[in-house]
Amino acid sequence: MASDKTILIIGASRGIGLGLVEQFLAQGWQVTATTRGTPVQNSSAHWLALDITDPASQHYFIEQLADQRFAAIVINAGIYGPAEQRVDQATDAQLNQLFLTNSFAPVRLAQRLLPYLASHSGVLAFTSSQMASLTENPAAEMPLYAASKAALNMLVRALHPAAQQAGITLLSLHPGWVQTDMGGEKAPVSVEQSSTGLKQVIISAASKGGHHYLDYQGQTLEW
């Protein structure tokens, strides 16, 4: 990874995002992190406000970055969507919010953030899901959530020409079934386990190029 050891983590006030903040700080990285609410107390990260679904918020956030360059950017956005994961029972508003948050807004933001990554070594990572794969999720569990993450994977792939030209590596990452507000207390993977693994996957991806679909243990997933 680039010697300046700087990372931007989008959506970091809790769960996996906050876990990543703590992991990279512990490794001596300079961390810039975003939250829609109050910044985390007693953290040496630099916190900025951002609602990725709000164009005005995105614009103001980008202005605050000025001329910074990051070795890595992680876009950690995700909501479960409607409790009843059936397209015939979800409202248009619920579906629009799900795909805006999980698919469209992260990639819109990423397109604006590409110039802020270190050229020839930068890593742009997205929190996706194993659920997004037809191969890895043959029973179509959590279909609405899974579909939104599958859309994210495809839109990230569409970034590949621009990323390749800049020498940037793209990652679609499955954090595991994690003990977060979304994953629940019965999930088998702790936030610490997931964020520790993801940190290593991100660091190891520098200068590799291409677009990779990996889990938090670095295992390649089938699209």
Side-chain angles (χ1 to χ4, degrees):
M1 189 68 68
S3 59
D4 57 357
K5 296 175 72 173
T6 55
I7 187 168
L8 171 61
I9 302 173
I10 306 294
S13 60
R14 60 183 181 176
I16 296 163
L18 182 56
L20 285 170
V21 169
E22 294 169 347
Q23 288 293 327
F24 278 98
L25 285 174
Q27 291 293 312
W29 285 58
Q30 296 178 21
V31 178
T32 300
T34 74
T35 174
R36 288 189 301 174
T38 304
V40 177
Q41 301 300 315
N42 302 319
S43 170
S44 56
H46 176 51
W47 289 91
L48 296 173
L50 174 64
D51 178 350
I52 67 168
T53 65
D54 181 353
S57 179
Q58 276 201 29
H59 180 75
Y60 180 64
F61 166 71
I62 294 290
E63 285 186 335
Q64 291 180 285
L65 295 180
D67 59 353
Q68 294 185 67
R69 292 294 181 273
F70 299 97
I73 296 175
V74 180
I75 301 183
N76 175 53
I79 58 175
Y80 179 78
E84 181 57 60
Q85 288 272 303
R86 288 181 49 170
V87 70
D88 59 326
Q89 295 187 6
T91 67
D92 288 351
Q94 289 174 323
L95 293 172
N96 289 339
Q97 188 63 39
L98 174 63
F99 277 81
L100 178 63
T101 304
N102 288 6
S103 312
F104 308 136
V107 176
R108 282 177 176 167
L109 178 61
Q111 289 173 316
R112 302 182 71 177
L113 289 176
L114 281 172
Y116 294 87
L117 276 162
S119 60
H120 307 299
S121 63
V123 175
L124 178 56
F126 297 79
T127 302
S128 183
S129 173
Q130 187 176 33
M131 296 286 185
S133 167
L134 289 172
T135 303
E136 307 283 349
N137 184 16
E141 296 179 29
M142 299 166 56
L144 298 184
Y145 173 80
S148 71
K149 290 298 188 178
L152 173 66
N153 285 358
M154 181 59 75
L155 293 172
V156 173
R157 176 55 61 87
L159 293 175
H160 184 250
Q164 186 176 36
Q165 185 174 14
I168 290 166
T169 304
L170 296 173
L171 299 177
S172 293
L173 299 175
H174 171 56
W177 180 12
V178 186
Q179 297 163 8
T180 61
D181 290 345
M182 185 186 299
E185 296 179 354
K186 295 182 180 180
V189 181
S190 70
V191 169
E192 182 178 5
Q193 289 172 319
S194 176
S195 57
T196 298
L198 291 172
K199 174 197 67 179
Q200 190 56 48
V201 171
I202 292 164
I203 290 174
S204 299
S207 302
K208 283 190 174 180
H211 180 200
H212 308 274
Y213 188 21
L214 306 170
D215 70 10
Y216 73 101
Q217 296 175 309
Q219 300 297 312
T220 299
L221 299 177
E222 296 293 332
W223 296 101

